[in-house]
Amino acid sequence: MRIDFDPETMAGNSFYKLLTSVVVPRPIAWVSTVSADGTANLAPHSFFTVASVAPPIVQFTSVGRKDSLRNAEDTGEFVVSLAPEGLFEQVNATGTDFPHGVSEFEAVGVAQEPSARVKPPRVAGSPVALECVVHGTAGFGNSTVVFGRVVHAAIDDAVMVDGHAEISRLRPLSRLGKDEWGTVGEVREIARIRYADWEGERPAEA
């Protein structure tokens, strides 16, 4: 038996809470930006994914007009650092609603390093940084999706095995529902089946 939910009849952010409890786990974009006056900002965004491979574009969503969005719009640049398990408390702390103009890097004590191609700094303790220029934005109600073209990727060689970033070494955090976070548990591996190798029943050809 299922329970039915109608987003049009649910009050406040009830449906938002429901969505974030079932669309799980969500990878975290730890987004760094720089304001027009030069203040570095850092915030976690769990509405994050790859949007395109060629060109390489990633996307994150700002729910409301937060500093990450304002700065990306004003300067045209941002960096996505991977949110690693070892920096769990710092990732969470950078989600605090600090007043505009306060640098989360300084307030939380997150070490930073210069980026190679863009002005916003990278998180020094993160094994992965994707340096991006804004490709465009799309607004949906109170949310804005920011698309960024990746112009440079910097990955710690300690997480690389045969040219591949190993999940067991990356140890990324993910967001779940409520105040819950996820870590990497059991990893299962299986190859995608080519149709030429399909052994099941095949549909009749027209």
Side-chain angles (χ1 to χ4, degrees), residues 89-195:
E89 289 81 6
Q90 290 179 309
V91 175
N92 181 62
T94 57
T96 301
D97 56 342
F98 291 107
H100 178 68
V102 173
S103 170
E104 287 80 3
F105 279 103
E106 296 179 6
V108 176
V110 178
Q112 58 182 277
E113 65 182 21
S115 293
R117 295 281 303 278
V118 298
K119 188 173 182 180
R122 307 188 299 226
V123 174
S126 172
V128 177
L130 304 176
E131 301 179 16
C132 304
V133 296
V134 175
H135 179 80
T137 61
F140 302 94
N142 72 334
S143 298
T144 303
V145 184
V146 181
F147 299 92
R149 179 167 57 86
V150 181
V151 295
H152 184 78
I155 304 177
D156 189 337
D157 61 1
V159 304
M160 301 292 287
V161 177
D162 298 328
H164 177 79
E166 281 290 318
I167 190 70
S168 60
R169 299 186 181 191
L170 289 173
R171 305 297 300 176
L173 289 165
S174 62
R175 283 290 278 124
L176 309 175
K178 299 183 290 187
D179 290 330
E180 300 166 335
W181 298 65
T183 57
V184 176
E186 178 187 4
V187 177
R188 302 176 66 181
E189 186 173 346
I190 187 171
R192 183 174 295 181
I193 303 170
R194 299 185 310 155
Y195 186 63

Side-chain angles (χ1 to χ4, degrees), residues 31-35 51 55-62 65-80 117-120 130-139 144-152:
V31 178
S32 55
T33 56
V34 172
S35 66
I57 294 176
V58 295
Q59 67 180 71
F60 74 91
T61 299
S62 175
R65 292 201 55 81
K66 299 177 180 177
D67 285 344
S68 299
L69 172 61
R70 295 190 189 96
N71 295 346
E73 289 179 333
D74 290 345
T75 67
E77 298 180 336
F78 64 92
V79 175
V80 172
R117 295 281 303 278
V118 298
K119 188 173 182 180
L130 304 176
E131 301 179 16
C132 304
V133 296
V134 175
H135 179 80
T137 61
T144 303
V145 184
V146 181
F147 299 92
R149 179 167 57 86
V150 181
V151 295
H152 184 78

